[in-house]
Amino acid sequence: MKVLLATPPQPASAILPRRYQAFSGPLKLLGGNRSILGIQPPYGLMYLAAYLRQAGHEVSIVDGLRAAPDEVMTRIQRERPGVVGLSCVTWNWSEGRRLAQTIRAHHPDLT
């Protein structure tokens, strides 16, 4: 089965405290197209992907801190997974919920 695992997209303004947001531009140079805090890969999704691959599933990961905001939807269209898994924490829960609602609205057949 094809599986897509993702973290929701996050602007630097949601990650950095307000007093540091003015410095988000230079920090993006160190962390791809997101803030320096986005350098950490989504380890939890990577562990889950490794397990699923060992079980014979085809897995891809979208790191929302590095990918374009619409990358998850683009990958769903391109890869046609049977399952989409989202990983959220407290600070990106609202974006994760919004992404889940968007996925459900456009792809009600996905698990």
Side-chain angles (χ1 to χ4, degrees), residues 46-90:
M46 293 168 69
Y47 289 134
L48 181 57
Y51 177 81
L52 291 171
R53 287 179 182 129
Q54 286 179 344
H57 300 284
E58 184 180 330
V59 183
S60 61
I61 298 175
V62 177
D63 182 355
L65 290 173
R66 294 178 183 266
D70 60 346
E71 181 66 18
V72 173
M73 297 305 291
T74 300
R75 297 273 290 273
I76 289 172
Q77 290 287 19
R78 185 175 63 222
E79 297 175 16
R80 303 282 186 195
V83 174
V84 174
L86 300 177
S87 176
C88 302
V89 292
T90 303

Side-chain angles (χ1 to χ4, degrees), residues 24-44:
S24 67
L27 293 176
K28 287 180 187 181
L29 296 175
L30 298 172
N33 65 346
R34 299 285 176 215
S35 76
I36 191 168
L37 298 177
I39 289 175
Q40 288 287 64
Y43 290 117

